[in-house]
């Protein structure tokens, strides 16, 4: 394999190849919420996109419009068992992993193995191809943080035995793998620590706070809040995140350290619920439920590093992003209802009723 030296680092020739035209970019988890938006953006930039997904939590609908795109290829596979791809690759984004607590806790061992075995497989693929790899890590590596806002230097407060550990510790292990291979000069690995992201194509029943509240409000149900609602989160609109991921993948030199990507605006869950109620114009009844174990109390990214190294900061205010998300869910729910409606007779009133599930991620 040809190797090039850049700023004292030795990596493969993926970038050289890429410089000669559109890149071939593998997006693991490309049929998911964030991954499908990333596929859209990469195709719009003229790259070839290989979407690898097992459809564990992703959906065919997310990538349906891309299936006839000449530069898009879908490879249905679990990254835990992915050893090779039959064409050269320049860049790999690893977004493959269930991201909401009910989904990643449904099969905790698979979640952990996806993070460790799956990321290991993609790192080997990156090494063989001389490709850069961006790992989608998470603010969950900070656990229930004792430092606020969270800077990348903060080492976190994570339980390694609790119900969130399969995800939090899995993502921490994946970061360790990335930096081991980066230090060894074997893979141009980059790590984004993603904070709560929301937008169109979230699954209506995935148990994340924004989708939960929006779907409940649009369905005329009571809104479920876990705990007092005074815990905080920072919400980043998906287009801002995708721009940040692409910037981190392409910045030269490799930062060689994790980079927080999130919106530093901090809101309590009660404030978020109030915004949703006023934008949907629903009755706004709220039901409070017990807080799930290890649920973080405060979340806000310090994005100084992303601003300095990538020139990146989010631009979509919460009200604007929520408007787009609510509009998308409104259409989605109507279309789903139309598809389910019996050929004769009216639709059942309860069709959009949602089962509340603990939120987080
Ligand atoms: N959305 C957020 O708020 C957020 C926050 C922090 C980190 N992240 C990270 O970003 C990534 C994408 O998150 P998302 O919100 O789009 O979640 P998502 O569940 O919508 O997408 C994950 C995708 O990965 C696929 N997948 C899961 N396990 C797989 C496996 N073993 N092999 C192949 N495919 C697999 C799923 O089918 C799905 O399409 C995840 O790695 C997540 O940990 C997301």
């Amino acid at each position: 394999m040809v190797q090039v030296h850049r700023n004292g680092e030795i990596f493969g020739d993926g970038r050289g190849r890429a410089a000669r035209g559109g890149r071939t970019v593998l997006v693991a988890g490309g049929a998911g919420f964030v991954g499908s938006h990333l596929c859209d953006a990469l195709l719009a930039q003229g790259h070839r996109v290989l979407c690898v997904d097992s459809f564990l939590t992703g959906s065919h609908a997310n990538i349906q419009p891309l299936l006839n795109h000449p530069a898009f290829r879908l490879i249905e596979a679990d990254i835990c068992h992915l050893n090779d791809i039959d064409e050269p690759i320049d860049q790999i984004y690893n977004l493959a992993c269930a991201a909401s607590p009910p989904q990643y806790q449904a099969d905790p061992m698979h979640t952990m193995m996806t993070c460790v075995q799956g990321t290991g497989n993609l790192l080997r693929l990156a090494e063989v191809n001389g490709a850069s790899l961006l790992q989608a890590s998470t603010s969950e590596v900070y656990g229930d943080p004792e430092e606020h806002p969270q800077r990348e230097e903060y080492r976190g407060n994570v339980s390694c035995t609790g119900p969130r550990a399969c995800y939090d510790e899995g993502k921490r292990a994946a970061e360790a793998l990335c930096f081991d291979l980066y230090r060894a000069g074997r893979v141009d690995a980059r790590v984004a620590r993603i904070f709560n992201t929301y937008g169109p194509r979230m699954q209506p029943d995935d148990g994340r706070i924004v989708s939960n509240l929006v779907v409940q409000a649009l369905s005329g149900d009571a809104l479920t809040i876990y705990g007092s609602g005074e815990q905080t989160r920072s919400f980043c609109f998906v287009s801002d995140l995708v721009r940040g991921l692409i910037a981190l993948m392409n910045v030269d030199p490799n930062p060689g350290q994790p980079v927080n990507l999130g919106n530093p605006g901090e809101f309590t869950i009660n404030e978020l619920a109030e915004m949703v109620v006023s934008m949907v114009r629903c009755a706004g009844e709220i039901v409070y439920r017990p807080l799930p174990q290890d649920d973080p109390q405060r979340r806000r990214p310090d994005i100084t590093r992303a601003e300095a190294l990538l020139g990146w900061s989010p631009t979509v205010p919460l009200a604007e992003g929520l408007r787009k998300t609510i509009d998308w869910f409104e259409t989605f729910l109507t279309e789903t209802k139309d598809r389910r409606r019996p050929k004769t007779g009216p639709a059942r009133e309860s069709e959009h009723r949602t089962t509340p599930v603990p939120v987080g991620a």
Side-chain angles (χ1 to χ4, degrees):
M1 182 174 63
V2 182
Q3 296 203 314
V4 291
H5 294 250
R6 288 185 301 114
N7 305 301
E9 302 156 356
I10 304 175
F11 297 112
D13 67 346
R15 281 164 169 265
R17 192 167 55 229
R20 291 192 293 274
R23 299 184 171 107
T24 297
V25 185
L26 188 153
V27 181
F33 158 52
V34 177
S36 60
H37 287 279
L38 180 60
C39 290
D40 289 347
L42 292 168
L43 287 168
Q45 290 182 354
H47 303 300
R48 173 162 171 72
V49 172
L50 313 181
C51 166
V52 174
D53 206 296
S54 65
F55 293 96
L56 179 70
T57 55
S59 100
H60 284 91
N62 286 345
I63 51 163
Q64 191 64 37
L66 306 181
L67 291 176
N68 289 327
H69 194 296
F72 182 80
R73 178 180 170 195
L74 172 63
I75 300 168
E76 191 163 344
D78 187 317
I79 60 166
C80 296
H81 309 296
L82 187 76
N83 295 316
D84 200 10
I85 296 284
D86 57 3
E87 60 179 294
I89 301 160
D90 299 304
Q91 296 184 335
I92 298 176
Y93 289 86
N94 181 19
L95 277 67
C97 188
S100 80
Q103 291 178 331
Y104 69 63
Q105 288 168 4
D107 186 349
M109 189 165 171
H110 183 258
T111 301
M112 177 63 84
M113 295 314 285
T114 294
C115 292
V116 179
Q117 176 100 42
T119 303
N121 287 343
L122 292 176
L123 281 164
R124 270 188 289 274
L125 199 59
E127 184 176 18
V128 168
N129 280 272
S132 305
L133 180 144
L134 184 146
Q135 169 66 13
S137 190
T138 169
S139 56
E140 301 289 337
V141 300
Y142 302 122
D144 189 1
E146 291 156 328
E147 181 178 305
H148 192 79
Q150 291 81 53
R151 294 174 304 129
E152 290 88 346
E153 288 83 3
Y154 177 52
R155 293 189 180 183
N157 176 35
V158 177
S159 161
C160 64
T161 56
R164 302 171 77 101
C166 59
Y167 182 77
D168 302 3
E169 295 290 11
K171 289 284 187 179
R172 287 170 70 97
E175 285 200 14
L177 277 175
C178 289
F179 284 107
D180 281 339
L181 270 71
Y182 167 74
R183 262 191 307 275
R186 290 170 55 183
V187 178
D188 176 23
R190 291 134 193 266
V191 171
R193 289 188 179 154
I194 302 170
F195 285 65
N196 285 56
T197 301
Y198 70 100
R201 300 188 199 153
M202 299 180 89
Q203 297 289 320
D205 55 356
D206 66 5
R208 301 190 222 199
I209 183 63
V210 173
S211 45
N212 259 17
L213 295 178
V214 168
V215 171
Q216 288 174 332
L218 287 171
S219 307
D221 291 343
L223 277 60
T224 313
I225 289 183
Y226 295 86
S228 67
E230 288 306 299
Q231 67 273 33
T232 66
R233 293 290 185 276
S234 299
F235 301 103
C236 185
F237 191 63
V238 65
S239 60
D240 279 331
L241 174 66
V242 164
R243 198 168 38 81
L245 293 174
I246 293 175
L248 176 55
M249 174 63 103
N250 292 292
V251 71
D252 198 7
N254 182 333
Q257 46 192 353
V259 178
N260 285 342
L261 292 179
N263 192 318
E266 186 179 359
F267 298 85
T268 68
I269 301 303
N270 286 326
E271 286 169 337
L272 176 70
E274 278 166 27
M275 284 179 80
V276 170
V277 167
S278 85
M279 291 172 90
V280 173
R281 298 203 188 118
C282 62
E285 186 196 340
I286 291 182
V287 176
Y288 288 89
R289 299 267 171 96
L291 198 64
Q293 186 183 337
D294 297 335
D295 204 55
Q297 280 306 301
R298 297 189 77 186
R299 263 301 154 65
R300 175 153 70 96
D302 180 319
I303 59 164
T304 310
R305 187 175 287 175
E307 286 171 331
L309 296 179
L310 314 179
W312 176 88
S313 58
T315 60
V316 182
L318 183 57
E320 184 184 328
L322 268 184
R323 182 73 272 155
K324 290 180 176 162
T325 308
I326 290 167
D327 290 349
W328 182 85
F329 268 115
E330 203 158 19
T331 307
F332 175 87
L333 293 175
T334 307
E335 285 174 356
T336 312
K337 194 172 181 179
D338 285 347
R339 273 200 299 277
R340 286 196 199 144
R341 183 176 287 147
K343 292 271 182 287
T344 54
R348 291 194 314 277
E349 256 182 29
S350 61
E351 262 170 353
H352 290 155
R353 303 276 151 184
T354 54
T355 311
V357 274
V359 297

